Amino acid sequence: MKHRLQKMLTLLLVTAAGCFSAYAHDVKGTVVSATDGEPLIGATVLVNGNAAKSSVTDVDGGFSLSGIPADAKLEVRYVGFSSKEVSVKGQSTLKVELAEDSEVLNEVVVIGYGTMDKKELTSAISHVSEKDFLKASSVDPSMMIQGKVPGVSITNTGAGDPNNQASIQIRGVSSRAAGLGPLIVIDGVAGGNLTNINPNDIASFDILKDGAASAIYGTRGSNGVILVTTKKGARDGAVHTTYTGNVSANVATHDLKMLDADMYRVYRADQYNGNDLGGNDDWLGAVTRTGWSTQHTLTINGGSERTNYRATVDFKNADGIDKYSNRQEYGARASINHTTKGGLFTFNVNIAPRLINRKIASWDVFRNALEINPTTPIMDEENPGRYTAIIGQAAGYNPVALINLEKNKAETKLLDWDGTVKLNLLPLFFKDGKDWGNSTLSTQVTFAGHESSNFNYWFRPSTSTQAIANGYDGEASRSYNKSSQQILEWLANYSGRFGDHNVRLMLGYSYQYIKNSGMSADNKDFANDGLGADNLGNGQWAVEEAVGNLTEKLNQIFERNE
């Protein structure tokens, strides 16, 4: 009897353990950095032994998993941090702290006007190297680090539009009136533009997130600073040629399921006296498409220990998911570095031109295509050569007519250049060949410039339903603006090592001259539609012009002691 009772108890315990093991519940939690408690965006959380159950942390570092066994183990991964295994133990809420990878701590990080080992950093700076980039096909380089940096939000609310750039916010919104974007510094030159850089030319990103890190750039760095380091030529004496190309597609997803013409007649026209206008067209399909894009890059680089070079040419063509928008880019980037014999002088020159042709989308066509009465024919049945005018509907205009008739184009030209001469001072002080130990002393001068011009062109022909509704025989406008920046910077750097102590001193001066100019004009009522906006003076309505000039100067003296 006693023996039988023991067997029954053992069976009950095994059954209870099995039930506990099989019990599945929802698990939520956050993933943060063990160093500063910052949420880690884009960290991967997966169930060991079940790769199908996984989650990626959101902007607050949060994650959620459903149907997780009480005895499951979760593996948490994040770029630049050591992976960690966490036991659920029946808990429904977890907080996971990840420590930075010790190997990553030995990486060289670019800071304001200099570099240092990551393990020596005392301010909030994140480093993302090429091996950690997202393999994104976007023409926007910033998308390669989306979700890679804690506290940095990179979003593109119109990814289906090739001309829409991502929004970058470092540590949230810092201003309501001023710009929210960070200062872009490319190869040490402030005021750069991510538009004028090929993703294949980028070696690393360094993001200065807090006031201590970005203070050296003054008020320009109040929204954070992104330091971009480009690739340089090889030094192995050989010539290397590389071609990179990709093809991608953007497709509209999660579109609203609206009534088609037949369903509208059944559920709306017949039962609620809706207007049946006799058409049977797919309005949303008439304004959308699969947006194909191609990118091609050809690179040649090489050199020796003293001189190296790298040159890149690229072409990009991207269509939007609407049937009008398009973006074509022709760009190049070249750099050459030379160090004289003995290392006394170092010369560096970079130049990057780019031409961008854009067809600008009107996002409002999607709303109008959804709101329009689905029985409305696209073309006017009484006048087959014209589009149907939209009157008395929620939709304000015929979106197909806007896409097919109006011309909204822009041309952008960019040119970035810089040249640096660096002088190593210690060889001048120790001409007899005396060793100067673990110390360096150098000074350098940089001349740089950013040039950009934008030409915008818009034309609405007299056959447009909107032009007819407005009572005009065509409408047109043109605008042009140009921006020019000249930069002069001088730096002096000293670094020395004394036993276990490192000393770094830096002193610099920066001068920046900025000039903006532009003009715009528009007119209406043209004799014909043949010239479009190429002859605004031909319009009979009027000519409105606006001309403006703005000049700014920036002087800055800075220093850093470490």
Side-chain angles (χ1 to χ4, degrees), residues 459-476:
F459 177 67
R460 174 181 289 165
S462 60
T463 55
S464 165
T465 57
Q466 288 179 274
I468 295 172
N470 294 335
Y472 299 121
D473 289 330
E475 304 173 66

Side-chain angles (χ1 to χ4, degrees), residues 230-244:
T230 61
K231 298 176 182 178
K232 306 303 178 185
R235 298 179 179 271
D236 56 4
V239 178
H240 305 269
T241 304
T242 306
Y243 166 78
T244 304

Side-chain angles (χ1 to χ4, degrees), residues 472-493:
Y472 299 121
D473 289 330
E475 304 173 66
S477 68
R478 298 177 69 159
S479 64
Y480 176 81
N481 59 77
K482 182 178 181 179
S483 175
S484 175
Q485 299 183 44
Q486 279 79 47
I487 300 169
L488 168 63
E489 291 186 337
W490 168 79
L491 296 175
N493 281 284

Side-chain angles (χ1 to χ4, degrees), residues 322-356:
D322 67 290
K323 288 188 175 180
Y324 182 76
S325 63
N326 174 265
R327 183 185 184 94
Q328 286 189 346
E329 292 189 28
Y330 306 85
R333 179 174 291 272
S335 67
I336 184 169
N337 302 273
H338 174 70
T339 302
T340 60
K341 187 176 181 180
L344 184 62
F345 285 98
T346 299
F347 302 92
N348 171 257
V349 177
N350 299 285
I351 185 169
R354 186 165 298 272
L355 171 64
I356 306 172

Side-chain angles (χ1 to χ4, degrees), residues 495-557:
S495 67
R497 184 173 181 178
F498 306 94
D500 296 331
H501 304 283
N502 294 328
V503 177
R504 289 187 178 91
L505 300 173
M506 187 268 289
L507 177 67
Y509 169 78
S510 178
Y511 172 83
Q512 189 171 6
Y513 178 83
I514 304 172
K515 183 178 180 180
N516 296 292
S517 60
M519 59 81 62
S520 64
D522 63 87
N523 207 347
K524 303 176 177 65
D525 292 334
F526 299 94
N528 61 70
D529 296 330
L531 294 178
D534 292 330
N535 188 2
L536 291 180
N538 191 39
Q540 302 301 311
W541 183 69
V543 176
E544 292 185 359
E545 291 189 27
V547 180
N549 289 280
L550 176 63
T551 301
E552 300 178 20
K553 293 181 181 179
L554 173 65
N555 286 279
Q556 183 181 6
I557 298 176

Side-chain angles (χ1 to χ4, degrees), residues 341-475:
K341 187 176 181 180
L344 184 62
F345 285 98
T346 299
F347 302 92
N348 171 257
V349 177
N350 299 285
I351 185 169
R354 186 165 298 272
L355 171 64
I356 306 172
N357 293 313
R358 294 171 288 154
K359 291 183 177 180
I360 301 173
S362 174
W363 292 9
D364 202 40
V365 296
F366 301 110
R367 180 183 63 82
N368 280 271
L370 292 171
E371 291 182 346
I372 208 164
N373 182 332
T375 65
T376 306
I378 293 176
M379 304 302 296
D380 190 341
E381 295 180 347
E382 297 181 358
N383 191 350
R386 292 197 173 184
Y387 291 90
T388 300
I390 307 303
I391 301 173
Q393 297 192 34
Y397 59 84
N398 188 321
V400 181
L402 184 144
I403 283 181
N404 293 335
L405 295 180
E406 292 191 14
K407 307 300 180 185
N408 193 356
K409 301 179 181 180
E411 179 185 87
T412 300
K413 295 179 181 179
L414 302 170
L415 176 62
D416 295 340
W417 61 270
D418 66 86
T420 300
V421 180
K422 182 178 180 180
L423 172 62
N424 187 0
L425 295 173
L426 288 181
L428 298 178
F429 299 150
F430 298 96
K431 294 182 179 180
D432 56 356
K434 182 179 179 180
D435 184 15
W436 48 82
N438 296 318
S439 298
T440 63
L441 177 62
S442 64
T443 183
Q444 69 182 54
V445 177
T446 298
F447 299 91
H450 304 298
E451 309 287 338
S452 67
S453 64
N454 289 280
F455 170 70
N456 300 285
Y457 168 109
W458 174 77
F459 177 67
R460 174 181 289 165
S462 60
T463 55
S464 165
T465 57
Q466 288 179 274
I468 295 172
N470 294 335
Y472 299 121
D473 289 330
E475 304 173 66

